[in-house]
């Protein structure tokens, strides 16, 4: 075997080694790292009622009062110095109220009422009781206008998404963001929730059924969901940063060997 033939063989082995290294660094995650809600010994509990979002300071509420006698509702639906009108197709001006730092709003004819800490359904019944002192059989509608969730990290469309009602699950939020990319770490999803000025972090493993029992499976307003990168993404990042230099050096070495063995 002459030197030229030997060099070709060595060159082939080097190229094969580089290829193996590249594919090894960028290999896909295993099946267990990708599939949601894999079988485990944990049962799924009914936790829906425990995780209904509650109103809190800073929430913007659109509140309207209805009754058979429309004129009787006018004092409650007026736009005054305490509220700002919000355009709506079904009702051109629905007054909006911001819950203050004390958890209160100022409602016409009733005065200050505490709504923070109540669910939307509880707040509706509470205001119905108050308004019924002035109107026979009133109806009350409450919409949370600032209910938003933010999804960041390894998803197809990261961003902040408005929620039309007070009920959205973690999976629905991920669906709004286009689901996780193949590089998303499904075992360490982070949900950041703020309540009464205190931020709390929750780790969620989407590959386990016990996620359905998580206190953050049903999201609250202003929750932030972060999907960290998995090992494949980290390795890919390293590969992207160093490959050009690595290939250039290998190419230079091969060129030098080629010249020396001619």
């Amino acid at each position: 075997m002459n030197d030229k033939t030997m060099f070709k063989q060595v060159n082939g082995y080097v190229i094969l080694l580089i290829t193996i290294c590249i594919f090894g660094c960028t290999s896909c995650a295993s099946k267990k790292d990708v599939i949601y809600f894999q079988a485990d010994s944990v049962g799924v509990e009914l936790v829906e009622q425990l995780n209904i979002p509650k109103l809190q300071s800073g929430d913007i509420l659109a509140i309207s009062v209805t009754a058979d006698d429309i004129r009787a509702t006018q004092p409650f639906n007026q736009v005054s110095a305490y509220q700002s009108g919000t355009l709506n197709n079904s009702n051109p001006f629905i007054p909006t109220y911001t819950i203050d730092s004390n958890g209160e709003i100022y409602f016409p004819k009733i005065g200050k009422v505490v709504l923070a800490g109540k669910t939307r359904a509880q707040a509706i019944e509470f205001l119905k009781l108050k308004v019924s002192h002035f109107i026979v059989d009133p109806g009350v509608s409450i919409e949370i206008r600032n209910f938003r969730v933010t999804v960041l990290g390894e998803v197809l469309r990261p961003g902040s998404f408005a929620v039309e009602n007070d009920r959205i699950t973690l999976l629905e939020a991920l669906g709004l963001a286009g689901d996780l990319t193949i590089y998303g770490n499904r075992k360490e999803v982070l949900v950041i929730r703020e309540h009464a000025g205190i931020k709390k972090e929750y780790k969620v493993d989407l590959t386990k059924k016990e996620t359905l029992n998580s206190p953050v499976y049903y999201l609250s307003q202003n929750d932030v969901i972060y999907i960290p990168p998995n090992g494949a993404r980290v390795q890919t990042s390293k590969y992207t940063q160093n490959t050009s230099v690595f290939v250039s050096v290998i190419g230079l070495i091969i060129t030098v060997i080629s010249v020396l063995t001619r």
Side-chain angles (χ1 to χ4, degrees):
M1 183 182 297
N2 57 36
D3 293 339
K4 186 177 290 186
T5 302
M6 182 179 295
F7 168 71
K8 289 182 179 179
Q9 289 183 350
V10 172
N11 191 17
Y13 290 140
V14 171
I15 293 174
L16 178 61
L17 179 61
I18 293 173
T19 303
I20 292 174
C21 289
I22 290 174
F23 279 98
C25 291
T26 59
S27 60
C28 296
S30 68
K31 187 176 180 181
K32 290 184 178 181
D33 295 328
V34 176
I35 297 177
Y36 293 164
F37 308 132
Q38 298 170 40
D40 52 38
S41 59
V42 178
V44 178
E45 302 173 2
L46 296 177
V47 295
E48 179 176 353
Q49 296 300 321
L50 300 178
N51 296 315
I52 297 177
K54 295 183 178 181
L55 302 178
Q56 53 188 272
S57 296
D59 280 350
I60 301 173
L61 309 179
I63 304 177
S64 62
V65 177
T66 59
D68 292 336
D69 185 356
I70 297 179
R71 291 176 299 179
T73 67
Q74 290 178 352
F76 300 96
N77 293 329
Q78 64 183 342
V79 179
S80 70
Y82 297 101
Q83 311 103 21
S84 58
T86 302
L87 186 63
N88 182 281
N89 291 331
S90 60
N91 190 337
F93 296 101
I94 298 180
T96 58
Y97 306 79
T98 301
I99 300 179
D100 63 22
S101 58
N102 295 320
E104 301 173 328
I105 66 168
Y106 184 91
F107 201 67
K109 295 185 70 67
I110 295 175
K112 291 184 178 181
V113 291
V114 177
L115 295 184
K118 294 180 173 60
T119 65
R120 187 170 66 92
Q122 290 172 340
I124 288 174
E125 292 302 318
F126 178 73
L127 286 181
K128 272 186 181 181
L129 180 61
K130 296 290 186 180
V131 173
S132 64
H133 293 123
F134 304 90
I135 300 177
V136 176
D137 194 21
V140 175
S141 172
I142 298 179
E143 296 179 9
I144 306 175
R145 289 293 172 85
N146 66 319
F147 200 117
R148 306 181 70 85
V149 293
T150 301
V151 186
L152 303 173
E154 289 292 340
V155 290
L156 188 62
R157 295 186 300 272
S160 184
F161 304 94
V163 180
E164 294 183 356
N165 52 50
D166 60 351
R167 180 51 52 89
I168 183 172
T169 67
L170 175 59
L171 295 184
E172 288 170 333
L174 294 176
L176 292 175
D179 201 4
L180 281 69
T181 68
I182 193 64
Y183 295 111
N185 189 337
R186 287 152 174 78
K187 293 185 176 182
E188 295 187 6
V189 174
L190 177 65
V191 178
I192 303 173
R193 175 171 294 174
E194 181 175 351
H195 182 70
I198 300 175
K199 290 184 174 64
K200 189 172 181 180
E201 297 181 353
Y202 299 83
K203 287 288 184 68
V204 178
D205 186 347
L206 293 179
T207 67
K208 295 183 178 180
K209 286 184 178 180
E210 64 186 37
T211 294
L212 301 175
N213 300 330
S214 170
V216 292
Y217 179 72
Y218 288 95
L219 300 176
S220 293
Q221 57 270 50
N222 304 316
D223 278 356
V224 176
I225 305 163
Y226 173 66
I227 311 299
N230 59 19
R233 170 61 82 185
V234 174
Q235 292 295 335
T236 301
S237 177
K238 292 179 180 179
Y239 162 73
T240 302
Q241 295 173 1
N242 300 323
T243 293
S244 59
V245 176
F246 178 69
V247 172
S248 297
V249 171
I250 293 298
L252 179 60
I253 293 174
I254 293 174
T255 301
V256 171
I257 295 174
S258 178
V259 171
L260 293 177
T261 56
R262 284 181 181 178

